Amino acid sequence: MSTWTRPLALLAEVLLIGVLVSVAALPVLTAVPAFAAGAVLLRELVDDGRTPTVRRFAALLGQVVRDPVAVGAPLAVLAVAGLDLLALLGELPGATVLGPVIGTALVAGALVLLRTAA
């Protein structure tokens, strides 16, 4: 491969991984497994020079989805977010103070889930 085509091939491979992760993460419950499979594909690309394929991504995604924590953690975060939203919309006392705090905590929890997946 010539010196100017390798960066283009690398860009195409990374874009392929991004598209695969985006499509697999459309249902919210599979976001963490999709990010985990994408992280493994990127690691294989950088460390071993292994070209990512749809078949390899599907195999990795299937392995991660079988793990109960990978599916249970996003469900728990969504349940807590839904209950907090109901409490805030119910105009409980202190909702104006706790609303931003709860929102920040949920964003931090989502970031921890995504970082753990990587």
Side-chain angles (χ1 to χ4, degrees):
M1 197 176 294
S2 69
T3 58
W4 65 274
T5 57
R6 180 60 191 150
L8 292 177
L10 182 63
L11 175 67
E13 291 167 343
V14 171
L15 285 175
L16 173 65
I17 293 172
V19 168
L20 291 172
V21 169
S22 298
V23 169
L26 281 177
V28 177
L29 295 179
T30 59
V32 173
F35 285 121
V40 170
L41 277 181
L42 278 175
R43 192 171 300 123
E44 289 175 352
L45 174 65
V46 171
D47 292 343
D48 305 331
R50 184 175 180 175
T51 301
T53 62
V54 176
R55 182 177 298 193
R56 175 74 177 143
F57 180 80
L60 290 170
L61 188 63
Q63 287 176 355
V64 177
V65 168
R66 287 188 204 106
D67 184 18
V69 175
V71 177
L75 278 176
V77 170
L78 284 175
V80 169
L83 291 174
D84 287 340
L85 183 64
L86 285 175
L88 292 174
L89 291 176
E91 297 182 9
L92 294 176
T96 57
V97 174
L98 289 179
V101 173
I102 291 172
T104 304
L106 288 173
V107 168
L111 288 176
V112 166
L113 279 175
L114 294 178
R115 182 64 188 142
T116 303

